[in-house]
Amino acid sequence: MENYETHTHDVLIIGAGGAGLRAAIGSSAQGASTGLVCKSLLGKAHTVMAEGGIAAALANVDPKDDWKTHFKDTIYGGKMLNNWKMPFNHAKEAPERVRELEHWGAVFDRTPKGKINQRIFGGHTWKRLAHVGDRTGLEMIRTLQDKGIHTGIDVYMECTITHLIKDGDKIAGAFGYWRESGKFVLFKAKSIILATGGVGKAYKVTSNSWEYTGDGQSMAYDIGAELIDMEFIQFHPTGMVWPPSIRGVLVTEAVRGEGGILRNSEGERFMEKYDPERMELSTRDVVARSIYIEVKEGRGTPHGGAYLYISHKGADYIKKKLPSMYHQFMEFADVDITKDPMEVYPTTHYIMGGIRVDGDTCATTIPGLYAAGEVSGGMHGANRLGGNSLSDLLVFGKRSGEAAAVYANNLSTNLNIPADLIESYANEILAPFSSTDGENPYAIHQDLQDVMGTYIGVFRNEENLKHGIAEVDKLKERAKNLKIEGSRMYNPGWHLCRDLKSMLMVSEAIAKCALQREESRGAHSRVDFEGYDDEKWGKVNSSINLQGDTMNITTTPLPEMPDELKSLFTEGT
Amino acid sequence: MSEAILRVFRGDANGGEEKEYKVPVEEGMVVLDALHYIQAEYDHDLAVRWNCKAAKCGSCSTEINGKPQLACKSRMDKFPEGQPITVYPIKAFPIMKDLVTDVSWNYEVNKKIPEFTPATDEEFTMYQEDVERIQEFRKCIECFLCQNVCHILRNHERKDAFFGPRFMIKIAERVMHPMEKIDRREFLKDEAGVGYCNITKCCTEVCPEDIHITDNGIIPLKERVADKYFDPLSWVLRKIKGK
């Protein structure tokens, strides 16, 4: 086979969003030689698009806030399906992670007393989200990037990892290609952290960037790792609706946090019907379903959404607190949100499920393989609260980086990567160039997006799910023979071929888990099984793994919370 | 639905040429949508960088009808109907393929800038009015359009001497941070080459985030450097103190 580069590290991190960058800083601080690989240029990862804030019980604005309340809010928001240890660590450590960011150069909005300001989001008891206007993700990724590049890590930009490699049962390396040249590259590593984010590009209407193709979930699954709870896809209640080319782009929850009001075409403030207590600041699953129902029952806007008003807050306030939203609507939709309402509709935003990890170390079920951030499962249960994602990235990025470095430093065995394995991977990746009768990967991607949106959306039922699974199966068959033209140099069509394989894998898992879970919980709504079925489904995670050539779907017991934490949920609050 | 004609540069370091494509236009469509249509329907290997398609990541910088801008922010209905729209890679950086250029120099420059060094380990007390001016610089999405139009980098090719506007405001955000403790004036003058900027404000004009790069960033930096090195009184004091 052709020559390829080889790089060797103690710890290799795949993905350079918030989790990957924080993991790299954590790993490097332990003295481990650390490599960081990303599909895009550094600083462009999906974290950059996060808007509203980082949830942490700093208690700067609401002094009554504490980790216990944050912990409870997270678990209530997750409809009790969280792996308790993750929200526990998250709630306790998030404040320190935010203060640390400030010392690394992040410049958060301030309270009148000069502290980090905090705003409210749905499902949070107190004002909890540290923020910078509505561009908090940019602030976070740039801060971590600027810290990271001074810690001695090696960054490999515009590099796609296609396969994880084991030696025996242990992780040993990763194989992939440079996007620019198309040439192959092998990374040998004692431990690997997956920080590849989510799966949103399996859907047409999504707030996610092109990178969100489920690479980490799919590669981990391929080498035998267990995934959990893939049915829980968060549809963010407020994506843009019009014009068509912008459909799905996020409208931050901060609009509602800052006082935004939802109305239907009849002018009715419809959240009064669905959650009279919390109204617009109900949890995302509830608000998304409410908008969906209003539109379905004929009370939608001209372009099929709900109206979101913020104009009553005044132009100065809006431009100061929500500058990106102001510009986004002005430039893309010709709407002045200081005068007129926005039109919004649910958009695929986040996957709560993912690779099963240990709640302390982020270790997956494969020795030496770790996962942090959206690619992992368990932290958010059946529904994620806004703001808990950015803090998740920081808390578990750090934990995974440190744990992977300790594992690598203690590993005494020599790892071996067989050459014939590399050759078979290379042949697999190059196959679309030699196909004469294969299909256009773009066509299959569009068909997959249609199937996912039509059959595996906000509301689900057995018939649709079965139909969706059959359609995904057909697409998997078609995707076995893809054809691509041009050279290996920066060829997006070729790149899509591998991404498509990952998207098909996660789509199958989402659909099959959704079919298995015969209840409605959080973001998973079955019209044929309304309401919680706590007895049968309240204490189990969906579990996915590869057995032979087939996807095995089953359930595993939910980790049980210790009694002292359980008591938090029974103290009359 | 109307139709647009795009003339897109196809080629690499060895050269290339414009290729013409006809693309159906729907309401609200941007140039990046048209490029995606070309990828899906005509040439799957058309290279263009993009991530968010919402003007938040700064990946899709191109030169459209000769004007450097983000392809995701360039509405098709802003161009005269029936006339071809040309799309070229940004010119100040070496071409890789089609619309993708090698911007790695920017990442090398960024590494040279010493990190933020706070004066205290304690929790910061800073007021909104004190951080607002650096929050403006931190809106930067690193699209490198300012680097692309800077005369020093684009026409005079002095990447060896001047860090460019993007990194002037990066240094400014540290210099003007209320908690910063290190003096960066020598670095600004000798390493970053702040003196090379001749204040034509081309960078400010192309900034998609409307950052006042020259007025709020570079000019105050120049003033600080001038105060240290070119103020006669402090020159005399330095001589006396032997520093």
Side-chain angles (χ1 to χ4, degrees), chain A residues 96-115:
Chain A
E96 197 43 46
R97 295 286 77 76
V98 171
R99 288 189 206 107
E100 174 181 83
L101 271 192
E102 180 158 83
H103 277 80
W104 294 348
V107 184
F108 294 104
D109 287 351
R110 317 305 297 177
T111 67
K113 287 188 174 164
K115 298 293 173 199

Side-chain angles (χ1 to χ4, degrees), chain A residues 421-437:
Chain A
L421 198 62
I422 299 295
E423 194 167 351
S424 74
Y425 293 157
N427 290 338
E428 177 193 328
I429 294 298
L430 291 175
F433 285 110
S434 47
S435 169
T436 50
D437 57 349

